[in-house]
Amino acid sequence: MSDTLSFKGRVVIVTGAGGGLGKVYALEFAKRGAKVVVNDLGGTLGGAGSDSKAADVVVEQIKREYNGEAVANYDSVNGANAANIVKTAVDAFGRVDVLVNNAGILRDASFAKMDAQQFASVVDVHLNGAYKLTKAAWPYMRDQKFGRIINTASPAGLFGNFGQANYAAAKMGLVGLAETLAKEGYKYNILVNSIAPLARSRMTENVLPPHILKELGPEKIAPLVLYLTHESTKVTNSIFELAAGYYGQTRWERSAGQIFNPNEKSFTPESILNKWDSITDFKDKPFNKVEHPSQLADYNTLTAKAKQLPQENDQGKIKISSLGGKVVIITGAGGGLGKSHAQWFARYGAKVVVNDIKDPDSVVAELNKQFGANTAVADKHNIVTEAPKIVSTAMAKFNRVDILVNNAGILRDKSFLKMTDDDWFSVLQVHLFATFAMCKAVWPIFLEQGSGFIINTTSTSGIYGNFGQANYAAAKASILGFSKTLAIEGGKKGIRVNVIAPHAETAMTKTIFGEKELSNHFDPAYVSPLVVLLASEELQKKNRRGGVNGQLYEVGGGWCGQTRWQRGPGYVSRSPNIQPELLRDNWSKVVNFTKGKMINPSSTEQSSMAILQAVQKAEMENATGQSSNPGTGAENVKGGFNFNYRDCILYNLGLGATSKELKYVYEKDPDFQVLPTFAVIPSMNSVPSLAMDDLVDDFNYAMLLHGEQYFKLNVSKLPTSGQLKTVAKPLQVLDKSGKAAVIVGGMTTVNAKTGKTLVYNEGTFFVRGAHVPKGKEMKGEGRARFATENFKAPQDKSPDFVFEYTTSEDLAALYRLSGDYNPLHIDPSVAKAVKFPKPILHGLCFLGISAKALYEHYGPYEELKVRFTNVVIPGDKLRVKGWKQANGVVIFQTIDVDRNVVVLDSAAIRLQNVTRSKL
Ligand SMILES: CCCCCCC[C@@H](O)CC(=O)SCCNC(=O)CCNC(=O)[C@H](O)C(C)(C)COP(=O)(O)OP(=O)(O)OC[C@H]1O[C@@H](n2cnc3c(N)ncnc32)[C@H](O)[C@@H]1OP(=O)(O)O
């Protein structure tokens, strides 16, 4: 498709458009004909100060450069005049079609140091600001039955991020808000999506070469924003991660989970622990499938199935005994879920602070009667304003706190159109701000004792959004981003933070679910055992890799499952000038969730690394997938390779051939030929199809080194032109003590016309920092024998051949034109990023130089194998030594003379016409 996406006649509001992302959006919209309200307070990134120039400059630029229409607005998105931003659009242009909620500030601090003001101010600008703006624009969009809204989230919101409890909460809150608005807006043609762009950070700065770092800028984000807000888009209720030309959808993935017979006697923490692996294994089950949902599980069906199970749930072998004497604070514990949690904790020997603003006393009386006089204490303090006093109650009575369960909540359900500011703010206060305040109050105690458990309560509305619950969904979603951040910060200090999304019948939920739907199947007692388990040491021991921390579980009615993020491989473009049309035309790739290609990032770092690797992979594919000589018009398909005399001459020159060696550099010479190591070149196009990033974990192209190379020629002399095709498959995948992974690919190159095999290669790739997941090792069956031979250079015997050659400093620049465009060999910044002082020489180049000398001395050979044992810097002098064996095998070694290291070892050629049996 080539239709240009026009915004002619559309009115767009971009908040925070004085600079950065917002400015580029505003300019791009204007370029395509939109009338733009450029909103910017003019503040700095820290949120202070006000300067009206930023917005004016952008408006001027739109008028000057695009002859466009734009007005500036300087109101704060979260201030009393926020609605004035929408009014500005309506006054100036008569309508509002697109709203990009982009404005934001940062107030990073570790949770231990973050004060309430720092927390509130960030939530205020991002989340409350988006709420206010959207609220003001919503009636216009509804009336005109058209609207497009973008909420700017962040990987920090999706996955949590160290030092950003405030930002993560706000950003994830925006996702919950967007999901709800998407549901409510759909029938009015109001489409709402969230984007989570990866920003520059210390982390990206450390791992990325500068030329990719530069691409983390707004130019690569704007195309998606424009596509998602165009009138032709049908996309809604989706989340996208993007950076540097990568675009991928992120969605929820819910495990099939586990069902238990729901009865208070045998649905216990032990029974859940016993089935923990099944809850978290993300495999389909006979009673339920793994889902990628946008709403809560089908609890009625699951519960019906659960009830058919035998009454007695298997209690397993592990008894939960770690809660004896532990002190737990439970908010909102006067009734419903909180009361049930309190009873279950007491049953496991814990001391309970029953907090409830209304009536904690009757629960306390019950507990003390049933479990002993000093089991529980009542606390009536307000969780929003008096959190420290609740902790004081615990300290005064029990002199410690071990567990905090944030459970209290309220509902103020209303359609977004009718929602009042009071509905919005009061729900946010009780859920988000109280959770913040309570965590803050216990945090120093947990830090000091080096242990603590927090169980926060979200809701399926927070995970998936829910009609009529914009306030509740935003608040509950923000608890997810907040909790994940606390889990990251607390994890190192022995503090575990997990989140539950309960499905239970309580006074609160009665307002949402009908009496018939609940009909006593969803007793809070079918939620509490999970909460107790999440606060137990026994569960932590179950998971040796850092315990159970930062996770989300849905639970109710006898079913329990885990929910996490999932992302497909996404779409990557290395084009310097990505346009929205490119995304439209490749949309199926952006939202592709092909089986086996998905990842489940669990941290900002993991998610970002995967994105950056996808970008680097695309770069490598460009690098190795290009024809060696685009001038020949060679077909640029994966594994395909067309070549002619020019490619041969270029290759020979790259191995040091000179104009005196006419047979290598002049196509009309009667003996014109390409050197035998050219045998590896056609196979390079096929390397990407090995999909190395799927074979190992933590794969990073920049960390890949060529480790070994083997080939066997099926012809006595290589042709100097032709059309070839190579098929590659992985043969061996090994973990090297957790420090590196070694991947061996076998590549068969055939004549594309006749199908006859020309050469067989085995390439070994040494990937520093990569790991082989359990069960994914491949032993290397079927590998060529010569390839796996360890040829020892005979140190006690002088070589029968010695050759010296000083490489030129420009050699890598020349050699790369034969098809290996890996920036590691040309770009000083890339080399530096992976800890080399300078760009290094291609392994196949110094191999080729060595093999050229051997070829000229010993004659043609049939097989070759080398191990690359050290890097060579262009300009270094090489010394090649050869030892001919009686069986026609020549063992050789190449030394970097300047650095006095062996660079090719365990190396040999088998001369032509020598039979294998003699080896
Ligand atoms: C066909 C198409 C090709 C397309 C290619 C595209 C990519 C190219 O652009 C990339 C390049 O050209 S890179 C340049 C060429 N390669 C090099 O310069 C690498 C030089 N080698 C080294 O630096 C080290 O040997 C190094 C870093 C590799 C290993 O050193 P150490 O970490 O010190 O390893 P060590 O402790 O000695 O051994 C650990 C285990 O790993 C095995 N091993 C060592 N070197 C290996 C190598 N080169 N290849 C394969 N395996 C190797 C060891 O046997 C050891 O295994 P184990 O623990 O089982 O004993």
Side-chain angles (χ1 to χ4, degrees), residues 513-549:
F513 305 108
E515 203 65 55
K516 196 167 149 249
E517 193 186 340
L518 293 163
S519 56
N520 290 330
H521 295 322
F522 302 105
D523 193 309
Y526 310 148
V527 171
S528 303
L530 176 66
V531 179
V532 168
L533 181 65
L534 286 171
S536 74
E537 298 293 349
E538 286 80 3
L539 177 65
Q540 296 302 325
K541 282 186 197 133
K542 180 108 188 134
N543 188 339
R544 270 171 278 125
R545 271 181 125 193
V548 174
N549 193 21

Side-chain angles (χ1 to χ4, degrees), residues 684 704 706-707 736 766 820 822 825 843 867-871:
M684 293 191 35
L704 176 148
H706 201 166
K736 295 292 174 191
F766 193 96
D820 185 348
N822 187 345
H825 306 297
R867 171 174 278 206
F868 302 101
T869 49
N870 261 297
V871 299

Side-chain angles (χ1 to χ4, degrees), residues 13-17 20-22 25 99-105 122-123 125-127 129-131 134 149-158 167-178 181 192-199 221-222 224-225 228-229 238-242:
I13 298 174
V14 183
T15 68
L21 283 171
Y25 300 157
L99 170 61
V100 183
N101 285 313
N102 168 70
I105 59 164
V122 168
V123 172
V125 177
H126 293 270
L127 187 52
Y131 157 75
T134 313
I149 299 171
I150 296 288
N151 277 1
T152 309
S154 155
L158 304 181
Y167 185 71
K171 287 306 196 185
M172 191 55 210
L174 282 164
V175 173
L177 173 62
L181 295 176
V192 190
N193 293 289
S194 303
I195 58 161
L198 169 63
I221 309 298
L224 181 65
V225 169
L228 290 175
T229 53
S238 302
I239 305 158
F240 298 94
E241 288 184 79
L242 63 166

Side-chain angles (χ1 to χ4, degrees), residues 689-699 729-734 741-745 770-773 775-778:
S689 68
L690 289 174
M692 288 191 251
D693 51 337
D694 290 344
L695 298 174
V696 298
D697 286 344
D698 305 316
F699 180 85
K729 61 172 185 184
L731 296 175
Q732 195 165 18
V733 182
L734 298 173
V742 166
I743 301 168
V744 183
H771 306 94
V772 184
K776 276 211 167 177
E777 290 224 327
M778 289 174 71

Side-chain angles (χ1 to χ4, degrees), residues 102-427:
N102 168 70
I105 59 164
L106 285 176
R107 294 281 171 83
D108 290 2
S110 68
F111 186 59
K113 292 194 184 137
M114 185 174 286
D115 62 30
Q117 177 55 30
Q118 277 168 313
F119 186 79
S121 60
V122 168
V123 172
D124 217 20
V125 177
H126 293 270
L127 187 52
N128 292 336
Y131 157 75
K132 284 191 174 176
L133 259 267
T134 313
K135 183 82 186 116
W138 195 254
Y140 294 101
M141 291 182 171
R142 251 177 70 119
D143 283 353
Q144 73 203 14
K145 291 209 166 29
F146 181 88
R148 299 286 183 264
I149 299 171
I150 296 288
N151 277 1
T152 309
S154 155
L158 304 181
F159 308 106
N161 204 22
F162 202 101
Q164 296 197 306
N166 47 5
Y167 185 71
K171 287 306 196 185
M172 191 55 210
L174 282 164
V175 173
L177 173 62
E179 288 173 334
T180 297
L181 295 176
K183 286 180 172 169
E184 291 196 25
Y186 189 68
K187 72 174 173 184
Y188 301 102
N189 191 16
I190 305 174
L191 307 185
V192 190
N193 293 289
S194 303
I195 58 161
L198 169 63
R200 245 177 238 215
S201 67
R202 232 174 314 155
M203 183 206 83
T204 49
E205 228 108 284
N206 283 339
V207 298
L208 278 189
H211 76 281
I212 294 185
L213 263 181
K214 259 191 240 150
E215 296 177 36
L216 291 181
E219 292 74 17
K220 299 261 165 109
I221 309 298
L224 181 65
V225 169
L226 267 76
Y227 175 64
L228 290 175
T229 53
H230 191 257
E231 60 196 31
S232 66
T233 193
K234 305 252 179 312
V235 184
T236 191
N237 200 10
S238 302
I239 305 158
F240 298 94
E241 288 184 79
L242 63 166
Y246 170 95
Y247 304 88
Q249 189 183 354
T250 299
R251 65 180 182 181
W252 288 113
E253 182 175 42
R254 185 167 60 211
S255 76
Q258 187 55 44
I259 44 175
F260 303 84
N261 187 299
N263 68 80
E264 232 185 296
K265 226 172 124 247
S266 89
F267 181 43
T268 59
E270 283 87 354
S271 66
I272 306 177
L273 180 61
N274 184 46
K275 292 282 186 192
W276 192 253
D277 294 342
S278 171
I279 290 169
T280 58
D281 71 1
F282 288 84
K283 287 186 189 129
D284 287 345
K285 305 279 163 55
F287 58 85
N288 197 21
K289 286 197 173 350
V290 174
E291 289 183 285
H292 303 100
S294 57
Q295 60 182 20
L296 75 173
D298 180 359
Y299 274 101
N300 288 336
T301 305
L302 288 168
T303 302
K305 288 180 183 168
K307 287 190 148 187
Q308 286 166 12
L309 295 172
Q311 189 76 10
E312 193 52 46
N313 296 304
D314 188 347
Q315 301 299 307
K317 290 200 179 77
I318 306 169
K319 178 92 193 102
I320 308 285
S321 57
S322 61
L323 290 155
K326 293 275 174 69
V327 177
V328 53
I329 299 176
I330 305 171
T331 66
L337 275 169
K339 177 179 173 182
S340 167
H341 298 341
Q343 286 165 335
W344 275 87
F345 273 105
R347 193 184 290 183
Y348 278 77
K351 306 284 181 198
V352 190
V353 178
V354 179
N355 160 268
D356 202 292
I357 201 159
K358 281 194 203 128
D359 175 26
D361 298 316
S362 49
V363 174
V364 169
E366 261 179 58
L367 293 180
N368 285 344
K369 189 167 163 221
Q370 202 180 343
F371 301 103
N374 281 320
T375 299
V377 62
D379 180 280
K380 273 191 154 186
H381 291 108
N382 182 318
I383 50 173
V384 182
T385 53
E386 300 174 308
K389 291 188 180 158
I390 304 171
V391 175
S392 300
T393 303
M395 294 305 281
K397 175 79 179 169
F398 302 118
N399 202 25
R400 58 182 296 124
V401 185
D402 301 283
I403 302 154
L404 167 65
V405 182
N406 281 308
N407 166 73
I410 57 162
L411 284 176
R412 297 273 187 278
D413 291 2
K414 256 180 214 145
S415 74
F416 192 59
L417 186 74
K418 294 197 185 129
M419 189 163 284
T420 64
D421 286 357
D422 187 53
D423 295 330
W424 173 266
F425 288 109
S426 55
V427 167

Side-chain angles (χ1 to χ4, degrees), residues 81-110:
N81 290 331
N84 193 41
I85 304 169
V86 174
K87 190 171 176 294
T88 303
V90 176
D91 288 350
F93 307 123
R95 56 189 288 135
V96 52
D97 297 296
V98 176
L99 170 61
V100 183
N101 285 313
N102 168 70
I105 59 164
L106 285 176
R107 294 281 171 83
D108 290 2
S110 68

Side-chain angles (χ1 to χ4, degrees), residues 620 624 680 683-684 687 704-709 736-737 742 747 763-766 768 820 822 824-825 840-844 846 867-872:
M620 277 296 291
T624 52
V680 299
S683 70
M684 293 191 35
V687 172
L704 176 148
L705 288 170
H706 201 166
E708 291 187 336
Q709 186 65 37
K736 295 292 174 191
S737 319
V742 166
M747 299 103 161
T764 300
F765 305 97
F766 193 96
R768 295 176 293 163
D820 185 348
N822 187 345
L824 181 60
H825 306 297
I840 60 173
L841 193 57
H842 302 74
L844 290 177
F846 58 87
R867 171 174 278 206
F868 302 101
T869 49
N870 261 297
V871 299
V872 172

